[in-house]
Amino acid sequence: MTTETAVPEPTPEQAALFARVRRMMLIAGLTTALAICAVLIAVGYRLFKSEGRAAEAVSDVTATLPKGARIVSSGVAGDRLVITLDVGGVTEIRTYDAHTLKPAGKLKFANEP
C-alpha cells in the first residue's frame, strides 16, 4: 500500500504569481552578482595601483641643496613631503611627491626692500 500525495495543478493566477516571483528573484540575483563583481573589480584596481606606486618609491633619490642651506623642518602633507630650508637668512619651502620623490614645487620667502 503506497500513499502518494497528489499535487494539484496551480491555477492560472497561481502560475502567473510563481512566474512573477521567479522573475523578481532572477533580477535580484543578477543585481547582487553585478554588485559583487563591481566591488571585486574596485578592490583589484586599488591593489594593482598601489603596487605600482610602491615599486616607484623604491629608487634612491638625492636632492641637492644650495650651498650653505640648512634644513629647518620637514613634514608630510597629504601626498607631499614638505621641507623647510634656511638659505642664507631666506626661508624656502620645497615640496616633493611622497610616492615618487620628484620635486613638486618651491616657495621662497623674502623681506620687502
Side-chain angles (χ1 to χ4, degrees):
M1 175 181 211
T2 52
T3 59
E4 293 182 24
T5 308
V7 178
E9 289 295 319
T11 64
E13 294 86 20
Q14 289 174 333
L17 180 65
F18 292 155
R20 186 174 178 199
V21 169
R22 280 191 199 107
R23 191 176 18 198
M24 288 178 11
M25 288 175 57
L26 181 65
I27 291 170
L30 290 175
T31 304
T32 302
L34 183 65
I36 289 172
C37 287
V39 168
L40 291 176
I41 288 171
V43 169
Y45 176 77
R46 294 294 300 230
L47 287 174
F48 178 73
K49 291 302 271 183
S50 67
E51 286 176 3
R53 284 187 174 178
E56 291 175 10
V58 174
S59 63
D60 294 333
V61 175
T62 302
T64 56
L65 300 177
K67 200 166 214 155
R70 180 174 70 84
I71 296 177
V72 176
S73 68
S74 64
V76 177
D79 285 345
R80 300 281 190 239
L81 176 64
V82 181
I83 307 293
T84 305
L85 303 172
D86 179 21
V87 184
V90 176
T91 303
E92 183 177 313
I93 296 176
R94 294 188 181 189
T95 56
Y96 300 89
D97 184 86
H99 300 291
T100 62
L101 298 178
K102 292 182 180 176
K106 184 189 302 189
L107 177 63
K108 289 184 180 183
F109 295 96
N111 293 329
E112 289 185 11

